[in-house]
Amino acid sequence: MLDALRQIVQDVGAASGFRAALDLLVARVSMILDAEVCSIYLRNRQSGRFVYVANEGFNPQMVGRVSLSSGEGVVGLVAERAEPINLENAPDHERYHKVLGIGEESFQAFLGVPIIHVREVLGVLVVQDREARRYSEDEVAFLVTLAAQVAGLVAHAEATGDVDDLFPGTDGAEQREARFHGIPGVAGIGIGTAHVVLPAARLELVTDREAENVDAELALFDRAIGQARDDIERINAQMAKNLGPEERELFDAYLHMLDDGALAGDVREGIREGQWAQGALKHAILEQAATFERMQDSYLRERSADVRELGQRVLANLQEIRETRGSYPEDMVLVADELTAPMMADLPIERLRGIVSLKGSRNSHGAILADALGIPTVMGAVNVPIYELENRTVVVDGHYGEVFVNPSSPVRDLYEGFQEEEEEFARELETLRDQPSVTRDGHRINLWVNIGLVSEITRSLDRGAEGIGLFRTEVPFAVGDRFPTEEEQRVIYREHMEAFDPRPVTMRTLDIGGDKPLSYFPIEEENPFLGWRGIRITLDHPEIFLAQVRAMIKANAGLECILRIMLPMVSRLEQVEDAKALIHRAYEEVREEGHDVKEPLIGVMIEVPGAIYLIREFARAVDFVAVGSNDLTQYMLAVDRNNSRVAELFEEVHPSMLQALREIAKACHAEGKPVGICGELAGTPEGAVLCVGMGYDVLSMNAANLPRVKWVIRQVSLIDCRRILARALRMRSNSEILDFVRDQLVGAGLDRAVPHHEVPISF
Ligand code: PEP
Ligand code: MG
């Protein structure tokens, strides 16, 4: 059955549209299970009813014309219970409800399984037979497995709007106001016109569409083919150093496939018949690939992968050419499949009002950059119909993770009102710039910034930053096409130190690996977050580490600013000893070269849970400690910080996290060492209050969050923070703790610092 399952999933994925995919699915299932009838019911989001959308074996006229509510009939019961129902004689069931017109009157055997995506029942897949029989365990398992795989396809069709075509009378996405739920990324409200950056090309996901202008599509295809040829020739030439002519025959084969007599000819024909270029390409490639797959000879079968690879390449070119645009909306909301830092670098940031990312979570590095820029962001909005959004009006509610597309006037007015309130609050916060961050009972907290781009220097100083708590040095490393030289690094580091002088500057040594790759230093690993990351790489490459540390020490020459060098991802004490020895060596070398430099302070980041049990030792070995709560949460709770599927489990004030954070602070103080926190938690009002209560000396955050945190700190007392912490430490869940701290802030009249508006109900 595994082969049958694989084949169905593959064929359904290659079908020429969603409706064709469903028709193919019901036909195949009824054949494999030898069932007389197979049907699919899908939920219409607007009405909440399950609509009969595809069928094999019944009256085809009724497709699209029959629907059931959840709980209605046995099909509705499958949806309500969200589990399979297997009945020998369905008409005997108390919930049996005869659906008139489709012809199911004389059918007895019934098996229905729910189609579930991320806990939501999107539909029901049913097989039926005239004869009474109970479907076997194997058959049930087959249908459940299939439904779980089909769920992704249905969710995607919902996101693209393809599913709406199956529901007669549904408004097109054109006019409809729609609300989508994601994960709060960056607090704030943004309103603007969508600019979509499409996901990397995937042939299977290209939909059929009529060519608006056949000549233009042909010209587009010619350009895409031309680029693909150039790419292949370039790669071929590069490979000539390492591969012999025989091995490089593959590239010639690729070039032949692009000839008019082969693939390209088929695609042109498809375009002339009225398909747009991407659709014609999809059909030509999938047909060719399927032909190869059916071949007996294993060598030829393997060629199907080459055809697909070639198709992907041409498709990527086609999409890129289409995307290249001269003008961007004045007020722009970036909608991306996966927000990345380089993606933002290509856009006019000054026009960016909001960001919606289908993948990722608040702690992805793209979101951290958006936070640094203060752009309201919603992450993990998986169901947003990205293909439909270009040029639509979008409201981004980064406080609650809500996205409104085509907002109605009342919704838009409401959000414009919230926006005005926020702007007024922001103006008030500006007056705090030169005020100290002291609690009402006189306790001083250092508010520093996390930084990575030169452009953030001015913004940080304007917001009243008292130092740099985390310089993410991997950002300057990521922009070039090789490791920067010592002198190139010195210049960048110096710029920051001079700007901040005499304030302290904390430079983190290179923290690449995990989700922070360098294009010129690829690392292939199965589990990158548990692999070669941070200090593990730099200790293996002392030449990179030494050049960086020397650049830092030299950049500090002649300044009052205290240089603090911070080591990421440490898990064992020997790493600290080794790194300290290298830093000391670099310092001696730089002095011997005649530079007038001070010895830097050395600190560690606590990001690996195991380090918490050795925290006294670590604290004793260094001058300062800083908690990287983003990674610490990720490793402590085993939740990938980038994965939107588990983003709800990424709980920075989970009771275990609170215990850990408090232990770290206590242990560092017991060793007489200052302790800070530089994960995203520090930049939230709730996190700041808890960390102040624990005794953290430094809160380091993105500049955009600093004024709000300072405003809160100046209006609470240390005693309040300790009281809140003591209660929070007795609580059992992240949400209980967060709600409690928010209530305390609201009770103290600080509601403007925490999200407090009601999200309007849409539809
Ligand atoms: C952290 O892990 O909390 C941290 C500050 O480092 P980064 O987010 O750069 O991994
Ligand atoms: Mg980290």
Side-chain angles (χ1 to χ4, degrees):
M1 272 203 175
L2 183 61
D3 277 350
L5 197 71
R6 218 181 263 149
Q7 194 65 45
I8 298 191
V9 172
Q10 195 173 333
D11 293 349
V12 162
S16 62
F18 186 52
R19 187 184 289 276
L22 296 183
D23 289 343
L24 195 135
L25 187 73
V26 289
R28 290 287 180 83
V29 171
S30 81
M31 195 177 77
I32 292 168
L33 294 189
D34 196 19
E36 286 169 80
V37 168
C38 176
S39 326
I40 297 177
Y41 293 75
L42 290 187
R43 185 192 54 178
N44 177 345
R45 249 181 215 278
Q46 272 182 299
S47 66
R49 295 179 68 80
F50 287 82
V51 182
Y52 177 66
V53 291
N55 170 265
E56 174 77 16
F58 279 150
N59 175 4
Q61 305 286 329
M62 297 308 281
V63 164
R65 298 162 85 176
V66 171
S67 68
L68 298 163
S69 61
S70 175
E72 189 181 357
V74 191
V75 171
L77 193 62
V78 174
E80 187 186 83
R81 285 200 191 155
E83 58 181 10
I85 295 184
N86 186 2
L87 301 173
E88 193 170 342
N89 195 344
D92 284 352
H93 193 277
E94 52 179 17
R95 292 291 266 283
Y96 180 73
H97 164 98
K98 200 187 307 173
V99 182
L100 293 175
I102 63 174
E104 71 168 352
E105 291 80 2
S106 48
F107 282 74
Q108 298 194 313
F110 172 100
L111 168 61
V113 301
I115 300 173
I116 301 180
H117 183 70
V118 197
R119 300 187 190 188
E120 256 189 302
V121 179
L122 303 184
V124 179
L125 178 58
V126 179
V127 286
Q128 286 170 274
D129 270 297
R130 223 176 283 267
E131 291 282 301
R133 71 151 162 143
R134 181 170 280 277
Y135 291 93
S136 70
E137 292 285 305
D138 265 3
E139 289 168 321
V140 176
F142 170 80
L143 215 57
V144 168
T145 316
L146 185 63
Q149 300 217 28
V150 167
L153 184 80
V154 177
H156 181 262
E158 279 205 350
T160 57
D162 284 353
V163 83
D164 292 340
D165 299 341
L166 306 178
F167 306 139
T170 310
D171 296 340
E174 294 280 344
Q175 318 89 30
R176 191 172 13 116
E177 172 180 293
R179 175 177 154 191
F180 300 92
H181 192 63
I183 302 156
V186 179
I189 287 157
I191 303 176
T193 307
H195 165 66
V196 175
V197 177
L198 284 173
R202 252 183 73 195
L203 274 172
E204 280 79 2
L205 299 185
V206 170
T207 46
D208 282 342
R209 197 189 286 178
E210 222 170 278
E212 281 168 25
N213 178 336
V214 169
D215 289 338
E217 291 295 318
L218 283 170
L220 199 65
F221 178 64
D222 281 343
R223 278 180 63 193
I225 284 273
Q227 281 181 8
R229 275 186 182 287
D230 293 348
D231 284 353
I232 294 167
E233 274 161 9
R234 187 176 38 79
I235 299 170
N236 190 7
Q238 277 170 4
M239 291 292 174
K241 285 181 239 134
N242 307 315
L243 300 178
E246 268 172 36
E247 287 142 332
R248 284 189 292 123
E249 272 172 14
L250 175 66
F251 296 106
D252 291 332
Y254 275 8
L255 289 173
H256 283 311
M257 283 188 216
L258 292 176
D259 283 348
D260 258 0
L263 271 171
D266 293 349
V267 179
R268 284 205 180 82
E269 200 178 307
I271 298 174
R272 286 196 200 96
E273 282 167 8
Q275 266 287 346
W276 68 320
Q278 295 185 30
L281 176 74
K282 173 179 103 166
H283 288 298
I285 294 291
L286 296 183
E287 268 162 36
Q288 282 270 1
T291 312
F292 278 117
E293 265 156 30
R294 281 194 292 271
M295 291 184 174
Q296 295 293 324
D297 183 287
S298 65
Y299 173 80
L300 289 174
R301 256 201 326 271
E302 291 295 314
R303 299 287 63 76
S304 108
D306 296 338
V307 175
R308 281 174 185 273
E309 149 69 28
L310 194 67
Q312 289 297 144
R313 187 173 285 277
V314 180
L315 180 65
N317 292 342
L318 276 175
Q319 296 191 340
E320 202 178 289
I321 297 168
R322 231 165 229 280
E323 261 173 34
T324 314
R325 53 187 294 164
S327 62
Y328 294 96
E330 207 48 56
D331 293 315
M332 174 167 65
V333 171
L334 169 66
V335 182
D337 179 53
E338 180 159 20
L339 178 69
T340 62
M343 186 182 288
M344 276 188 280
D346 284 343
L347 296 173
I349 299 288
E350 66 290 352
R351 295 188 185 187
L352 211 47
R353 303 288 169 264
I355 298 175
V356 178
S357 176
L358 275 63
K359 295 200 185 114
S361 78
R362 189 161 89 86
N363 300 287
S364 309
H365 283 92
I368 291 177
L369 184 58
D371 193 16
L373 297 168
I375 300 167
T377 299
V378 171
M379 301 292 291
V382 273
N383 290 326
V384 160
I386 187 166
Y387 294 90
E388 307 282 322
L389 283 201
E390 187 73 24
N391 289 330
R392 299 283 166 74
T393 304
V394 176
V395 172
V396 180
D397 181 343
H399 295 288
Y400 291 103
E402 300 290 337
V403 179
F404 290 83
V405 176
N406 297 328
S408 59
S409 306
V411 167
R412 199 182 163 132
D413 292 349
L414 196 69
Y415 272 102
E416 279 173 353
F418 297 151
Q419 234 180 357
E420 269 166 38
E421 279 175 29
E422 286 192 348
E423 280 160 15
E424 194 191 310
F425 184 37
R427 280 192 292 278
E428 189 182 321
L429 292 180
E430 275 171 28
T431 61
L432 292 184
R433 196 193 109 135
D434 298 319
Q435 302 293 323
S437 58
V438 257
T439 58
R440 282 179 27 214
D441 47 357
H443 182 68
R444 181 109 176 64
I445 309 289
N446 295 296
L447 295 190
W448 294 357
V449 279
N450 298 347
I451 206 165
L453 300 170
V454 176
S455 61
E456 291 177 275
I457 296 178
T458 316
R459 191 177 309 115
S460 304
L461 292 171
D462 283 352
R463 303 256 154 93
E466 296 162 327
I468 295 181
L470 165 63
F471 185 130
R472 288 190 166 93
T473 56
E474 50 284 356
V475 180
F477 272 69
V479 291
D481 53 10
R482 53 163 176 74
F483 286 108
T485 63
E486 182 181 314
E487 177 56 13
E488 283 166 346
Q489 293 184 58
R490 188 198 65 80
V491 170
I492 298 172
Y493 303 160
R494 177 80 184 179
E495 201 172 339
H496 287 78
M497 289 185 207
E498 273 180 350
F500 273 80
D501 198 40
R503 304 171 183 86
V505 169
T506 315
M507 315 264 335
R508 175 169 72 184
T509 58
L510 190 62
D511 186 22
I512 51 169
D515 67 336
K516 292 182 276 191
L518 293 178
S519 56
Y520 51 87
F521 191 64
I523 302 169
E524 291 289 330
E525 287 178 324
E526 294 231 337
N527 275 315
F529 276 118
L530 300 183
W532 210 36
R533 278 199 67 179
I535 192 88
R536 301 172 184 182
I537 296 183
T538 46
L539 285 183
D540 286 350
H541 278 282
E543 77 288 12
I544 297 172
F545 188 80
L546 279 168
Q548 182 173 43
V549 169
R550 283 168 52 92
M552 291 173 180
I553 296 172
K554 276 189 189 171
N556 190 231
L559 298 178
E560 256 182 75
C561 142
I562 294 169
L563 168 61
R564 298 160 35 108
I565 296 183
M566 182 159 81
L567 310 169
M569 285 290 297
V570 295
S571 57
R572 39 150 93 156
L573 287 157
E574 293 93 317
Q575 290 168 328
V576 180
E577 297 310 330
D578 292 349
K580 275 170 65 176
L582 287 171
I583 295 172
H584 191 71
R585 183 174 130 195
Y587 165 68
E588 292 295 344
E589 283 170 8
V590 171
R591 262 169 46 106
E592 276 162 27
E593 287 166 24
H595 298 273
D596 169 25
V597 291
K598 303 187 287 292
E599 189 146 15
L601 299 182
I602 299 175
V604 284
M605 289 185 81
I606 301 299
E607 302 182 283
V608 178
I612 300 170
Y613 295 96
L614 284 177
I615 188 67
R616 296 279 298 245
E617 256 70 29
F618 275 114
R620 217 171 290 147
V622 292
D623 301 307
F624 67 92
V625 171
V627 178
S629 57
N630 305 336
D631 276 314
L632 187 60
T633 310
Q634 149 161 281
Y635 295 123
M636 189 92 165
L637 304 178
V639 178
D640 178 345
R641 61 193 272 186
N642 277 327
N643 184 343
S644 53
R645 284 210 182 133
V646 289
E648 282 201 21
L649 295 173
F650 192 92
E651 300 179 328
E652 292 154 294
V653 292
H654 183 289
S656 317
M657 278 297 293
L658 277 199
Q659 302 281 356
L661 291 173
R662 193 181 58 149
E663 286 310 310
I664 297 169
K666 270 177 32 184
C668 291
H669 286 159
E671 290 298 328
K673 299 292 164 64
V675 60
I677 172 163
C678 57
E680 295 305 291
L681 179 65
T684 63
E686 301 88 346
V689 164
L690 290 168
C691 291
V692 170
M694 292 180 207
Y696 277 83
D697 307 292
V698 178
L699 304 183
S700 189
M701 65 201 73
N702 287 325
N705 295 328
L706 196 146
R708 196 165 48 129
V709 168
K710 192 195 269 188
W711 184 78
V712 170
I713 285 180
R714 287 175 57 83
Q715 300 192 63
V716 293
S717 63
L718 178 60
I719 306 280
D720 287 337
C721 295
R722 287 192 179 143
R723 179 184 53 78
I724 293 172
L725 173 72
R727 291 271 302 272
L729 280 167
R730 289 200 295 274
M731 294 180 176
R732 300 181 52 213
S733 76
N734 186 79
S735 56
E736 195 186 351
I737 294 168
L738 263 191
D739 289 348
F740 167 69
V741 181
R742 276 183 194 152
D743 283 352
Q744 293 291 306
L745 291 172
V746 171
L750 305 179
D751 48 326
R752 283 193 290 169
V754 289
H756 60 283
H757 59 260
E758 293 271 323
V759 177
I761 309 276
S762 199
F763 302 144

